[in-house]
Amino acid sequence: MNLTDTHTHLYSEEFDQDRTAMMQRAIDVGVTRFFVPSIDSHYTQKMYDLETQFPDNIFLMMGLHPTYVKENYLEELAHVEAELAKKKFYAIGEIGIDLFWDKSFLKQQQQVFKYQIQLAKKYKLPINIHCRDAFDEVFEVLESERATDLFGIFHCFTGDLLQAQRAIDLNMKLGIGGVATFKNGKIDQFLKEIDLQHIVLETDSPYLAPVPFRGKRNESSYTKLVAEKLASIYEVSMEEIARITTENSKNVFGI
């Protein structure tokens, strides 16, 4: 059974003490592909080190995370462009809009999101979307850039059924992780109405650990717990969930 974690921050300081063991735990339960989003320039070298250590398993994205859009955002965007010109990445991400922590950079977040979508089109790459308390704002930018060559993953999808359908209409897969296991996560109530062809698995580790580890450090081996939850929701086997969601991830990332 091959599982794919389409969103995991393996370079996080929270893994500094046991990163290799944590990776092995994931591989041991069948998670063989790990897609690693960028946050900002401070983590770029750690991402490259990870890729060197696990060349058969690690696939990197490049982008500027919306909560890191600050006064120096033009410098950070220049870094993103410079790295994209240097080597191969598998997506532009994670990018988007986040109004949970700070609304003061909304205008800049919108500009940066739009610009990075245009970079994705230039490099013929998928996008990996971060959206928190900003569905209207994210959809506004996506609609303005709507095109057949705009596609990707709506990471950590926490919207309702109508928002899910709107994301799918914009060529996005839904990234489903630990939230699907939460009692108040809500998405488990309508997921079965979404065809599995639109779903990919993720952890967002070290954040958003699934039940029974909610509130603790998340890790990529817990992709299996998300798959188990989806098997229950869709009333199919774990193997079927693994097969379909991994195939979906290949269709997005091209590998």
Side-chain angles (χ1 to χ4, degrees):
M1 184 169 62
N2 287 319
L3 293 161
T4 299
D5 187 349
T6 61
H7 197 108
T8 175
H9 298 270
L10 297 173
Y11 48 76
S12 169
E13 291 83 359
E14 295 194 40
F15 298 125
D16 283 353
Q17 302 306 310
D18 67 340
R19 185 171 287 106
T20 300
M22 181 270 295
M23 286 286 292
Q24 193 58 52
R25 282 194 293 275
I27 291 168
D28 287 346
V29 299
V31 186
T32 56
R33 307 190 323 148
F34 307 79
F35 288 85
V36 179
S38 175
I39 290 178
D40 72 355
S41 60
H42 293 98
Y43 289 95
T44 301
Q45 190 56 52
K46 291 188 77 172
M47 289 168 59
Y48 293 165
D49 293 344
L50 261 174
E51 186 181 44
T52 300
Q53 188 177 359
F54 303 98
D56 297 328
N57 307 100
I58 297 291
F59 304 93
L60 303 181
M61 309 182 207
M62 178 49 60
L64 177 59
H65 189 295
T67 61
Y68 289 77
V69 174
K70 304 298 182 187
E71 290 86 352
N72 69 334
Y73 75 94
L74 289 177
E75 294 168 37
E76 286 290 335
L77 276 183
H79 173 77
V80 168
E81 287 204 71
E83 298 308 300
L84 284 169
K86 275 197 290 195
K87 70 185 297 296
K88 181 172 177 57
F89 291 92
Y90 294 90
I92 305 295
E94 64 188 280
I95 64 175
I97 299 174
D98 188 312
L99 300 180
F100 178 79
W101 298 107
D102 183 4
K103 296 180 174 66
S104 59
F105 284 92
L106 171 59
K107 185 178 178 184
Q108 292 88 341
Q109 284 191 38
Q110 290 167 316
Q111 292 171 351
V112 169
F113 184 28
K114 189 177 182 73
Y115 189 74
Q116 291 185 104
I117 289 174
Q118 292 166 356
L119 285 177
K121 291 176 178 177
K122 175 182 176 181
Y123 285 94
K124 297 180 170 53
L125 291 173
I127 60 173
N128 189 281
I129 300 170
H130 173 105
C131 173
R132 193 166 185 191
D133 288 1
F135 275 101
D136 290 345
E137 291 80 3
V138 163
F139 280 129
E140 183 181 350
V141 175
L142 288 175
E143 289 287 1
S144 74
E145 288 293 329
R146 179 191 278 269
T148 54
D149 60 347
L150 173 61
F151 65 105
I153 295 172
F154 215 112
H155 146 64
C156 190
F157 185 79
T158 56
D160 58 27
L161 178 59
L162 287 176
Q163 289 164 330
Q165 291 167 335
R166 191 173 180 189
I168 291 164
D169 184 56
L170 284 154
N171 296 330
M172 300 298 147
K173 305 290 188 196
L174 306 182
I176 304 299
V179 173
T181 70
F182 297 173
K183 187 181 272 188
N184 61 348
K186 296 180 181 174
I187 60 171
D188 60 315
Q189 296 171 19
F190 67 80
L191 260 186
K192 198 175 181 182
E193 297 182 54
I194 302 292
D195 194 293
L196 267 172
Q197 68 172 321
H198 303 302
I199 304 293
V200 293
L201 304 180
E202 63 166 66
T203 60
D204 199 21
S205 58
Y207 317 108
L208 293 172
V211 172
F213 300 104
R214 187 175 183 181
K216 298 177 181 175
R217 186 189 77 171
N218 199 2
E219 59 177 71
S220 283
S221 65
Y222 298 164
T223 306
K224 186 177 180 182
L225 297 175
V226 179
E228 287 174 354
K229 179 65 176 181
L230 289 188
S232 171
I233 291 172
Y234 283 94
E235 299 177 299
V236 298
S237 67
M238 273 276 290
E239 289 74 18
E240 187 75 348
I241 294 293
R243 182 185 67 79
I244 294 174
T245 56
T246 290
E247 190 62 31
N248 294 344
S249 74
K250 291 177 180 178
N251 289 339
V252 173
F253 294 113
I255 49 167

